[in-house]
Structure formats: C-alpha cells, structure tokens
C-alpha cells in the first residue's frame, strides 16, 4: 500500500516530532556551516593561512595567520531576509557577547560581501546594546571593514 506525500507527512508528524521541532536551530546551523565554508574558500583565494578549524566547543570558528599574527575568527553568516546577523555566543537561551579574550575578529558574511571587524571595534561601535546586526548597521557602522581582508582598520 502506497501513501501520498501528504499522508506520509501526516504519519511522520504523528509518530515523532518534525525535524524542525527536534532541532529548532537547524537552519541557523546550516547557515553557519555555509558561511564557514565560504570563509575558508575566500581566505584561501586571498592567500590567508588557515591554521586550524577549531572544535565546535571553542568560542571561535578558525585560527588564521595574517602578517605572521595568529587571529581567532568568529564567522557569522546570514540567510535571513532582510539580512540580520546574531552576534552573541551561546546555546539554549544562554547568550553572551564575544570578547577579546576569545575572539580577535568578527566576520560578518553575506553573499560575496564580508565585514572583517576587529572585535574591540565591533564591541565599541555596537555598544553592547544589541544581540544582532542588520545589513544597514553593518554598512553604516563598519563600512571601512567591508571586504577589507587586512583584518585591521
């Protein structure tokens, strides 16, 4: 006996939680993984040394070497419309801002645009009041860091 897609979906939802209920941040995780892959590709294109792709238990995503300096990079990618980046660390409702103790560079990624922002500049300009950054804020607050792969001003 074959079932239609609708019947099959109904059966699935009755027998177990829908995957989005089991993993509510699946879309965020997929977006993050896409951003990280894009970051790796772009950094290689620019000749940046990727020292390590760190464990997911670390508060940063990568360690890169630029001008003989090791930098811990946190990549934030968005697929939301309108574009908006969540720029705090945490899970399960417990979030905290990134600090210079754990991250050197905040990288906002969108399509073929990147904002490579030193964490102290990022925190100072955002003034710790927000947990997210819109595209207009990225363009106005961090314009000199857009597609600037020197990782400095």
């Amino acid at each position: 006996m074959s079932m239609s897609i609708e019947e099959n979906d109904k059966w699935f939802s009755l027998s177990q939680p829908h995957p989005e209920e089991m993993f509510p941040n699946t879309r965020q995780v997929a977006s993050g993984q896409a951003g990280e892959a894009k970051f790796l590709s772009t950094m290689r294109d620019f000749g940046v040394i990727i020292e390590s792709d760190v464990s997911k238990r670390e508060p940063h995503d990568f360690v890169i070497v630029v001008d003989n300096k090791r930098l811990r990079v946190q990549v934030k990618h968005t697929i939301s419309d309108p574009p908006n980046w969540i720029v705090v660390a945490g899970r399960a409702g417990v979030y905290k801002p990134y600090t210079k103790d754990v991250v050197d560079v905040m990288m906002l990624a969108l399509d073929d645009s990147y904002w490579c922002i030193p964490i102290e500049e990022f925190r100072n300009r955002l003034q710790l009041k927000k947990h997210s950054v819109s595209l207009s804020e990225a363009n106005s607050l961090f314009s000199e860091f857009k597609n600037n792969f020197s990782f400095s001003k």
Side-chain angles (χ1 to χ4, degrees), residues 34-44 48 50 62 64 73 75 107 109 114 116 151:
E36 290 172 14
K38 192 170 187 153
F39 168 80
L40 284 173
S41 175
T42 301
M43 292 302 99
R44 287 187 182 117
V48 173
I50 311 314
F62 299 98
I64 63 173
V73 179
V75 177
M107 167 81 73
Y114 297 89
C116 308
F151 297 95

Side-chain angles (χ1 to χ4, degrees), residues 8-27:
N8 196 21
D9 283 346
K10 184 184 268 186
W11 172 82
F12 181 82
S13 64
L14 291 174
S15 66
Q16 57 184 314
H18 190 276
E20 294 245 345
E21 293 170 10
M22 293 171 24
F23 306 102
N25 65 346
T26 301
R27 183 178 162 148

Side-chain angles (χ1 to χ4, degrees), residues 104-118:
D104 300 304
V105 176
M106 177 66 74
M107 167 81 73
L108 304 179
L110 174 67
D111 300 326
D112 290 327
S113 295
Y114 297 89
W115 291 260
C116 308
I117 311 158

Side-chain angles (χ1 to χ4, degrees), residues 73-89:
V73 179
Q74 176 61 42
V75 177
K76 294 297 183 178
H77 181 258
T78 187
I79 55 175
S80 65
D81 187 22
N84 187 58
W85 295 270
I86 304 301
V87 291
V88 289

Side-chain angles (χ1 to χ4, degrees), residues 93-151:
V94 179
Y95 299 96
K96 60 184 179 179
Y98 290 98
T99 66
K100 66 180 182 176
D101 296 330
V102 295
V103 173
D104 300 304
V105 176
M106 177 66 74
M107 167 81 73
L108 304 179
L110 174 67
D111 300 326
D112 290 327
S113 295
Y114 297 89
W115 291 260
C116 308
I117 311 158
I119 195 64
E120 289 179 327
E121 289 291 329
F122 183 80
R123 288 179 50 90
N124 288 341
R125 294 182 194 193
L126 206 55
Q127 300 177 348
L128 306 177
K129 295 178 183 174
K130 298 187 57 136
H131 297 300
S132 65
V133 176
S134 69
L135 179 58
S136 63
E137 289 170 323
N139 283 325
S140 64
L141 292 173
F142 308 114
S143 61
E144 73 269 31
F145 300 107
K146 186 173 183 179
N147 297 326
N148 175 353
F149 296 109
S150 68
F151 297 95

